[in-house]
Amino acid sequence: MDNHTSIKYFNILAFSSKTEKQPLLSITFMMIYLIGVLANTSLILVSFLDTHLQTPMYFFLRNLSFVDIIFTTITLPKLINILWMGINTISLIQCFIQVFFFVFIASTDDILLSCMAYDRYIAICYPLHYHILMNWKKAVSLLGGTWVMGCANGLITALFVSNLSFCDSRMIQNFYCDIKALSKIACTPNGLQIFIYLETLSLGLGPFLVSLTSYIKIIGVVLQIQSPEGKRKAFSTCTSHLTVLTIFYGSILLQYTMPPLEKVHFFDQIFTVLYTALTPMLNPIIYSLRNKEVKSAIMRIIR
């Protein structure tokens, strides 16, 4: 920590170059946050309470909802406070803690989505062998490995960032302590940039390719369905899943592969909003609330 003796805090520039209150924007993000938390919490409760949803698929979905709640809680409450109060400072320690939890949960989310795509691939392409290929032991092992890899990646990233020197500016051009924004104000940014590119390729592009391959194979099976109605429903489900995956992975890949230039920080913030706020809110709707099994479970619980 000797390199940071001259800096005690950072200033987070949330959609503005000035420290100013933006109550309308604050309310907008508060609504996004509350809707996301409510939808994900509802899915967790419904899948726990209904015995028909005690399958590996809904086991993954419960964990995705839990991850999404944490994911939005890491960034949005602080952003809401900044926009409402106009106080945009964050201490050095708080910033590094946010980096750890953000990378931890984002990595877990990345890998978990690819595990869910693989689960759907087995369920649709090998339905008769699903309970053998994706049993509870394998599901728990996949999930445990996902959380361990995410935690390890978050710890490595936080340790890497905490050893950097910041000498040019305290201004973070994003609405949270983003490692790309930190690289712009670091004295030696090249090492961090190489680290970011490696992270993006391994934990961004890798899981996305697994998910994309799974859904391409699923679509190949769907094309063989004889019933037009069955084909339409299957395509509807696949396209909605692929849309959310493309928004999530695409915004991450675009943000962290673009060079850290001053003129592109506006696009960085747009991409960040897409994968930190909108996709966690859309996930329970796309993956579950459009699902007939979940709707039936909700009706049984209400009755």
Side-chain angles (χ1 to χ4, degrees):
M1 298 297 291
D2 294 337
N3 292 333
H4 307 108
T5 52
S6 60
I7 292 181
K8 302 298 181 184
Y9 63 91
F10 293 111
N11 294 106
I12 297 176
L13 303 179
F15 311 112
S16 176
S17 59
K18 302 176 182 179
T19 304
E20 56 186 13
K21 298 179 182 180
Q22 301 181 64
L24 186 59
L25 205 54
S26 177
I27 293 170
T28 302
F29 278 101
M30 185 182 295
M31 293 301 298
I32 292 173
Y33 176 66
L34 292 176
I35 291 170
V37 170
L38 181 61
N40 283 294
T41 304
S42 300
L43 174 59
I44 293 172
L45 291 174
V46 168
S47 62
F48 263 124
L49 293 173
D50 193 271
T51 55
H52 296 82
L53 303 184
Q54 304 306 313
T55 63
M57 172 186 171
Y58 292 101
F59 175 63
F60 286 126
L61 278 172
R62 281 196 295 271
N63 277 272
L64 179 65
S65 291
F66 180 65
V67 167
D68 283 340
I69 291 171
I70 301 174
F71 199 24
T72 53
T73 303
I74 291 168
T75 55
L76 293 191
K78 178 65 177 177
L79 171 63
I80 292 166
N81 182 61
I82 290 171
L83 295 173
W84 187 263
M85 302 296 294
I87 302 172
N88 66 350
T89 58
I90 185 170
S91 70
L92 211 64
I93 298 298
Q94 288 174 333
C95 183
F96 295 151
I97 290 173
Q98 191 179 50
V99 167
F100 164 70
F101 279 106
F102 182 86
V103 176
F104 171 18
I105 299 301
S107 303
T108 304
D109 208 347
D110 282 352
I111 304 170
L112 181 56
L113 285 169
S114 64
C115 290
M116 291 173 60
Y118 175 67
D119 172 74
R120 290 299 82 209
Y121 159 68
I122 295 175
I124 294 173
C125 298
Y126 303 97
L128 298 178
H129 301 89
Y130 176 74
H131 293 291
I132 299 173
L133 297 173
M134 184 56 73
N135 52 41
W136 277 105
K137 184 178 179 180
K138 181 173 285 188
V140 171
S141 298
L142 280 172
L143 189 65
T146 298
W147 281 95
V148 169
M149 289 177 65
C151 184
N153 189 47
L155 186 60
I156 292 168
T157 304
L159 289 173
F160 192 96
V161 172
S162 67
N163 285 290
L164 292 173
S165 299
F166 301 97
C167 50
D168 293 336
S169 172
R170 289 195 295 261
M171 304 298 179
I172 296 176
Q173 293 180 329
N174 211 321
F175 58 81
Y176 70 101
C177 284
D178 173 44
I179 55 173
K180 182 178 179 181
L182 289 171
S183 72
K184 296 178 182 179
I185 60 175
C187 297
T188 53
N190 292 335
L192 183 56
Q193 275 303 310
I194 294 172
F195 180 80
I196 290 171
Y197 288 139
L198 292 174
E199 284 277 288
T200 305
L201 289 174
S202 59
L203 291 171
L205 184 61
F208 175 63
L209 290 176
V210 171
S211 300
L212 186 62
T213 303
S214 298
Y215 278 104
I216 288 174
K217 291 182 178 294
I218 289 171
I219 290 172
V221 173
V222 169
L223 289 173
Q224 300 175 14
I225 296 175
Q226 299 299 321
S227 167
E229 182 66 18
K231 187 179 292 187
R232 185 190 65 79
K233 288 182 178 179
F235 263 120
S236 175
T237 301
C238 287
T239 52
S240 60
H241 288 193
L242 275 173
T243 300
V244 174
L245 288 173
T246 302
I247 293 173
F248 181 78
Y249 287 116
S251 55
I252 290 177
L253 291 171
L254 285 171
Q255 179 185 350
Y256 290 108
T257 54
M258 286 196 305
L261 304 175
E262 287 292 326
K263 294 182 180 180
V264 301
H265 74 268
F266 174 73
F267 295 102
D268 287 344
Q269 291 181 335
I270 292 176
F271 295 143
T272 305
V273 169
L274 288 176
Y275 70 80
T276 62
L278 292 183
T279 52
M281 182 182 68
L282 292 174
N283 278 339
I285 299 170
I286 297 298
Y287 280 99
S288 301
L289 299 182
R290 296 177 73 248
N291 188 310
K292 186 182 292 184
E293 290 180 337
V294 176
K295 290 179 181 178
S296 299
I298 292 172
M299 293 306 298
R300 283 192 295 270
I301 292 170
I302 291 173
R303 293 196 191 102

